[in-house]
């Protein structure tokens, strides 16, 4: 014989789904992610700008790579 179990849930313990609250959390998360991507893109643009200036001043490509952290391929595309 299979024993029948009764489950009782207290709604205060499990919480209720609040669509507006979940939507706000999701929007905040997306906003933070967008800000982080923007910061990374800005930093990368700054490194490229510095590399261009170093190349203009006659620094060899390996040194530009060392100073900026960019690859030789990335620097070649700047030229």
């Amino acid at each position: 014989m299979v024993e029948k179990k009764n489950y009782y849930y207290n709604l205060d313990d499990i919480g209720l789904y609040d669509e507006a609250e979940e939507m706000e959390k999701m929007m905040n998360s997306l906003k933070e992610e967008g800000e982080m991507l923007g910061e990374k893109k800005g930093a990368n643009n700054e490194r490229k700008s510095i590399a261009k200036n170093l190349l203009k001043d006659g620094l060899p490509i390996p040194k530009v790579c060392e100073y900026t952290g960019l690859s030789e391929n990335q620097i070649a595309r700047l030229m």
Side-chain angles (χ1 to χ4, degrees):
M1 179 168 189
V2 177
E3 183 180 325
K4 184 179 176 185
K5 294 183 180 181
N6 290 320
Y7 294 100
Y8 298 96
Y9 298 103
N10 182 342
L11 293 179
D12 291 331
D13 292 339
I14 61 172
L16 296 174
Y17 177 76
D18 184 345
E19 186 176 356
E21 184 179 333
E22 291 298 316
M23 183 64 76
E24 184 177 347
K25 286 179 186 177
M26 184 178 66
M27 295 301 287
N28 286 338
S29 175
L30 290 172
K31 180 180 175 187
E32 289 172 8
E33 187 175 329
E35 288 171 354
M36 287 184 347
L37 288 173
E39 289 172 7
K40 286 181 182 179
K41 187 174 181 178
N44 197 38
N45 286 341
E46 185 174 354
R47 292 184 327 165
K48 288 177 181 179
S49 176
I50 291 169
K52 285 179 184 180
N53 288 331
L54 293 173
L55 290 168
K56 250 194 275 184
D57 285 347
L59 229 63
I61 291 176
K63 282 294 180 187
V64 176
C65 292
E66 181 181 334
Y67 295 155
T68 63
L70 297 173
S71 70
E72 287 189 22
N73 287 337
Q74 289 172 309
I75 291 171
R77 282 185 254 147
L78 298 174
M79 300 170 78

